[in-house]
Amino acid sequence: MQSLGVLFSGFFIVVSAVLSHQFDDRRVKHHFAEQRSESLRDLKLNTFSRMNKEVEIASGRLGAVAVSINGPEVEDIRNLLHEAWYATRDFEMLFPQLSRETDELRNLLLEQEAIVKRQISNKQFDPEELRRVKNVRIVLDEIAANIRAELGLGD
């Protein structure tokens, strides 16, 4: 009878160790899943922030170049869109569902660049022509609203 008690106690020790290990394994997996989710969320926010900054800077610099046509020297605009262009591409990798919006941003920047180049070659600044192009801020605000909704950041 005593050997049966030893056998049962050994069985219960093994079962409790296995159950304990399974619960701990689930807890660790859940913890790492939360960390991955948080890291991805931070990456998405940082990528949007970088794109937002670069697109606004490029758009503003294009306007500044157009204004400076009558000034002493015009800034070289060949590489002005470089950082903004690749920031939109990086953003699109994390948010493929917003590719229409990022395409629109790139098209708006190209349209602004074409207008500025034309104005430079004509040596005639026309602010109304630049104002007719949709403001990149409008598209960036639409993107920001979509990201807030996707990441659960509220309004």
Side-chain angles (χ1 to χ4, degrees):
M1 201 53 149
Q2 208 175 31
S3 61
L4 190 59
V6 170
L7 187 62
F8 276 130
S9 66
F11 174 75
F12 286 123
I13 289 173
V14 170
V15 168
S16 65
V18 167
L19 289 175
S20 175
H21 175 71
Q22 285 179 341
F23 288 128
D24 189 53
D25 190 43
R26 285 183 187 168
R27 185 191 58 80
V28 168
K29 284 180 182 177
H30 181 71
H31 174 73
F32 284 124
E34 283 180 357
Q35 282 184 331
R36 277 192 304 273
S37 177
E38 188 175 322
S39 294
L40 181 59
R41 180 179 170 270
D42 290 345
L43 175 64
K44 286 181 172 186
L45 288 173
N46 289 336
T47 303
F48 169 69
S49 178
R50 178 176 167 258
M51 181 194 67
N52 189 35
K53 174 185 161 194
E54 294 297 339
V55 167
E56 282 200 13
I57 287 172
S59 180
R61 285 183 179 163
L62 283 169
V65 168
V67 170
S68 70
I69 288 174
N70 299 326
E73 197 169 310
V74 176
E75 179 183 342
D76 180 24
I77 64 171
R78 284 180 296 197
N79 294 320
L80 198 58
L81 301 181
H82 184 268
E83 291 298 319
W85 191 271
Y86 287 103
T88 61
R89 290 294 188 189
D90 292 345
F91 176 81
E92 199 170 346
M93 291 291 291
L94 292 172
F95 296 95
Q97 72 276 18
L98 296 173
S99 63
R100 183 187 60 77
E101 288 84 353
T102 53
D103 283 341
E104 184 177 6
L105 282 174
R106 287 188 292 270
N107 289 333
L108 289 173
L109 290 173
L110 288 174
E111 188 176 347
Q112 287 178 340
E113 181 186 41
I115 291 170
V116 170
K117 284 181 177 179
R118 186 174 51 254
Q119 289 183 4
I120 288 172
S121 67
N122 295 339
K123 296 194 186 308
Q124 180 68 37
F125 173 58
D126 181 8
E128 289 304 314
E129 187 178 17
L130 279 173
R131 285 190 194 112
R132 285 191 290 264
V133 177
K134 184 177 180 181
N135 191 331
V136 295
R137 183 74 255 155
I138 294 169
V139 179
L140 289 170
D141 287 345
E142 291 171 8
I143 291 172
N146 285 328
I147 291 172
R148 282 192 302 272
E150 179 182 324
L151 299 178
L153 299 175
D155 292 326

